[in-house]
Amino acid sequence: MLINTWYVAAESASVTTTPVGVRMLGQDFAVFRDKAGKAHCLSDVCIHRGGSLCRGKVVDGTMQCPYHGWRFNAGGECVEIPSLGPDAAIPKRARVDSYPVQEKYGWVWVFLGDLADDERPPLPDFYPEYEAFEKGAAEWRFVRGTYVFDAAWTRVVENGLDNAHPFFVHQDFGNPDNPRITPVEIQERPFGSYSTRAQKPVEKRGVWAEKITTDRPDVRTELQYHASGPTVRIQMHLRPPMSQIIVSAYTPIDDKQTLSWWIQGRNFFTDPKYDDDSRRRVLTVFQEDANVVNHIKPVHVPPSLSAELTIYPDAMSFSFRKMIKEYEAKGWRIDTKAMAAEDEIVRVIPSPARKADPKNWVMDPVLLRPARPMSQAAE
Ligand code: FES
Ligand SMILES: [Fe+2]
């Protein structure tokens, strides 16, 4: 798992002045809104006696620990220790990590790392259809939800970028009678990549068959990847102009479980009465993926780029593996093995305030694998 990346922590609609607990990268966080409606994210473990902040309450825009009532402001600094009285000096170390937050596509994104504002990558900017919908456009209709994979985030993201699996995994998408895909042209994009491919359409059944006849052109699929999230956009151009899009952001809950936040858009059957059917179809697709991905070995993408055989339809996943290597080369991969060997120690994802002032923190940051040059990282 990687630090210094934006991850989706919650649906915007579910974050209120009642805090919610969120698990990401094997760590716990408290997410809440202040009275002005701004969302915040703090490390969940209180530095006094380990209380779980998300089980406390929001008081005047601060997060109050449920155990002894210490209050932490949105920046993570303790502003009140009730047992010392109102005039007591608050120790400098009385603070928890606070993480940058943005909201986009109806999701609360949290930057889990210590990079300064101008060093952080942007959020993906590849869902204009959804942004138009938020402003009232009716051309596209959207449904949204979540799905939990019992699989490592690297394998789950790669599955989203996998051009050749739909033919064998998805009853609705791949044409098993003609699984050949056109060569995948890949373009590197800032913080990600893009590719397009074409395939023979599959025959549709049920209500979809009314709209989609067998006399159809090739289905063109566009895939986009962005390191923030990490996020994958898949757009299938069925019979033009009919098209559907799934954008998924994949949050590692921990080393072995991955939460997909997804929003599916369609520009046909836009009547809300088709929403349930759309939602059911997306969840079926995720279940079909999970049936395979939850059982891949090894659990994580192997460290060597040559440990598995890559062919041209794998171009997007190969590019994704290289991105992981770039992060690892910078020393941004959490050393989960070393942390698992520790006994009863709570560590936290380092927040930007630590870079500016590395001393005066109660808890130490998570252990990271040492940085190493790309030439070694790729081995
Ligand atoms: S454990 Fe949080 S105030 Fe004591
Ligand atoms: Fe799939």
mmCIF file of all heavy atoms in Angstrom, residues 11 88 107 170 214 248 272 287 322 324 351 357 369:
data_model
loop_
_atom_site.group_PDB
_atom_site.id
_atom_site.type_symbol
_atom_site.label_atom_id
_atom_site.label_comp_id
_atom_site.label_asym_id
_atom_site.label_seq_id
_atom_site.Cartn_x
_atom_site.Cartn_y
_atom_site.Cartn_z
ATOM 1 N N GLU A 11 -18.686 8.571 0.977
ATOM 2 C CA GLU A 11 -19.635 9.310 0.149
ATOM 3 C C GLU A 11 -19.853 10.661 0.815
ATOM 4 O O GLU A 11 -20.066 10.718 2.037
ATOM 5 C CB GLU A 11 -20.990 8.579 0.124
ATOM 6 C CG GLU A 11 -21.002 7.281 -0.622
ATOM 7 C CD GLU A 11 -21.229 7.477 -2.126
ATOM 8 O OE1 GLU A 11 -21.601 8.592 -2.530
ATOM 9 O OE2 GLU A 11 -20.994 6.517 -2.876
ATOM 10 N N ALA A 88 -5.501 26.066 31.413
ATOM 11 C CA ALA A 88 -4.248 25.294 31.379
ATOM 12 C C ALA A 88 -3.567 25.402 30.022
ATOM 13 O O ALA A 88 -4.234 25.507 28.987
ATOM 14 C CB ALA A 88 -4.546 23.832 31.691
ATOM 15 N N TRP A 107 -17.817 12.279 -3.679
ATOM 16 C CA TRP A 107 -16.957 11.511 -2.780
ATOM 17 C C TRP A 107 -16.078 12.447 -1.963
ATOM 18 O O TRP A 107 -15.693 13.530 -2.442
ATOM 19 C CB TRP A 107 -16.027 10.594 -3.572
ATOM 20 C CG TRP A 107 -16.682 9.410 -4.227
ATOM 21 C CD1 TRP A 107 -17.706 8.655 -3.745
ATOM 22 C CD2 TRP A 107 -16.329 8.831 -5.491
ATOM 23 N NE1 TRP A 107 -18.018 7.649 -4.629
ATOM 24 C CE2 TRP A 107 -17.185 7.730 -5.708
ATOM 25 C CE3 TRP A 107 -15.365 9.124 -6.467
ATOM 26 C CZ2 TRP A 107 -17.110 6.934 -6.852
ATOM 27 C CZ3 TRP A 107 -15.300 8.322 -7.600
ATOM 28 C CH2 TRP A 107 -16.163 7.244 -7.782
ATOM 29 N N HIS A 170 -17.169 -11.905 -17.733
ATOM 30 C CA HIS A 170 -18.435 -11.160 -17.691
ATOM 31 C C HIS A 170 -19.430 -11.642 -18.745
ATOM 32 O O HIS A 170 -19.157 -11.573 -19.936
ATOM 33 C CB HIS A 170 -18.176 -9.673 -17.879
ATOM 34 C CG HIS A 170 -17.296 -9.106 -16.811
ATOM 35 N ND1 HIS A 170 -17.606 -9.214 -15.479
ATOM 36 C CD2 HIS A 170 -16.110 -8.470 -16.868
ATOM 37 C CE1 HIS A 170 -16.651 -8.647 -14.763
ATOM 38 N NE2 HIS A 170 -15.720 -8.199 -15.582
ATOM 39 N N THR A 214 -28.643 -7.338 -32.852
ATOM 40 C CA THR A 214 -27.412 -8.065 -33.171
ATOM 41 C C THR A 214 -26.624 -7.402 -34.306
ATOM 42 O O THR A 214 -25.447 -7.643 -34.466
ATOM 43 C CB THR A 214 -27.730 -9.520 -33.561
ATOM 44 O OG1 THR A 214 -28.754 -9.487 -34.529
ATOM 45 C CG2 THR A 214 -28.138 -10.325 -32.356
ATOM 46 N N SER A 248 -14.464 3.931 -11.101
ATOM 47 C CA SER A 248 -14.272 3.319 -9.778
ATOM 48 C C SER A 248 -13.002 3.849 -9.149
ATOM 49 O O SER A 248 -11.957 3.881 -9.807
ATOM 50 C CB SER A 248 -14.105 1.798 -9.869
ATOM 51 O OG SER A 248 -15.083 1.223 -10.669
ATOM 52 N N PRO A 272 -35.454 6.936 -14.356
ATOM 53 C CA PRO A 272 -35.028 6.361 -13.068
ATOM 54 C C PRO A 272 -35.551 4.959 -12.815
ATOM 55 O O PRO A 272 -34.992 4.220 -12.001
ATOM 56 C CB PRO A 272 -35.585 7.354 -12.038
ATOM 57 C CG PRO A 272 -35.768 8.636 -12.778
ATOM 58 C CD PRO A 272 -36.065 8.270 -14.210
ATOM 59 N N GLN A 287 -19.145 -8.836 -8.819
ATOM 60 C CA GLN A 287 -19.141 -10.194 -8.258
ATOM 61 C C GLN A 287 -18.409 -11.146 -9.195
ATOM 62 O O GLN A 287 -17.633 -12.006 -8.759
ATOM 63 C CB GLN A 287 -20.587 -10.663 -8.018
ATOM 64 C CG GLN A 287 -20.682 -12.019 -7.345
ATOM 65 C CD GLN A 287 -19.995 -12.049 -5.984
ATOM 66 O OE1 GLN A 287 -20.288 -11.225 -5.124
ATOM 67 N NE2 GLN A 287 -19.055 -12.979 -5.800
ATOM 68 N N LYS A 322 4.354 -0.182 -13.472
ATOM 69 C CA LYS A 322 5.488 0.752 -13.491
ATOM 70 C C LYS A 322 5.231 1.932 -12.555
ATOM 71 O O LYS A 322 6.127 2.413 -11.875
ATOM 72 C CB LYS A 322 5.743 1.250 -14.923
ATOM 73 C CG LYS A 322 6.531 0.227 -15.741
ATOM 74 C CD LYS A 322 7.165 0.843 -16.982
ATOM 75 C CE LYS A 322 6.119 1.522 -17.818
ATOM 76 N NZ LYS A 322 6.461 1.814 -19.185
ATOM 77 N N ILE A 324 3.492 1.834 -9.799
ATOM 78 C CA ILE A 324 3.739 1.359 -8.427
ATOM 79 C C ILE A 324 5.233 1.412 -8.146
ATOM 80 O O ILE A 324 5.670 1.835 -7.072
ATOM 81 C CB ILE A 324 3.234 -0.082 -8.240
ATOM 82 C CG1 ILE A 324 1.741 -0.169 -8.476
ATOM 83 C CG2 ILE A 324 3.568 -0.587 -6.841
ATOM 84 C CD1 ILE A 324 1.206 -1.597 -8.385
ATOM 85 N N SER A 351 1.137 13.090 8.241
ATOM 86 C CA SER A 351 0.359 14.157 7.597
ATOM 87 C C SER A 351 1.303 15.301 7.225
ATOM 88 O O SER A 351 2.441 15.356 7.690
ATOM 89 C CB SER A 351 -0.710 14.655 8.568
ATOM 90 O OG SER A 351 -0.068 15.188 9.720
ATOM 91 N N ASP A 357 7.096 20.249 10.820
ATOM 92 C CA ASP A 357 7.525 20.176 12.215
ATOM 93 C C ASP A 357 7.611 18.707 12.613
ATOM 94 O O ASP A 357 6.677 18.133 13.169
ATOM 95 C CB ASP A 357 6.483 20.921 13.081
ATOM 96 C CG ASP A 357 6.833 20.829 14.556
ATOM 97 O OD1 ASP A 357 7.974 20.441 14.886
ATOM 98 O OD2 ASP A 357 5.955 21.140 15.375
ATOM 99 N N ARG A 369 9.059 1.135 3.325
ATOM 100 C CA ARG A 369 10.201 0.454 2.708
ATOM 101 C C ARG A 369 11.176 1.517 2.218
ATOM 102 O O ARG A 369 10.740 2.574 1.726
ATOM 103 C CB ARG A 369 9.738 -0.377 1.521
ATOM 104 C CG ARG A 369 8.860 -1.530 1.948
ATOM 105 C CD ARG A 369 8.783 -2.501 0.817
ATOM 106 N NE ARG A 369 7.960 -3.634 1.154
ATOM 107 C CZ ARG A 369 7.871 -4.709 0.390
ATOM 108 N NH1 ARG A 369 8.546 -4.789 -0.736
ATOM 109 N NH2 ARG A 369 7.107 -5.699 0.753
#
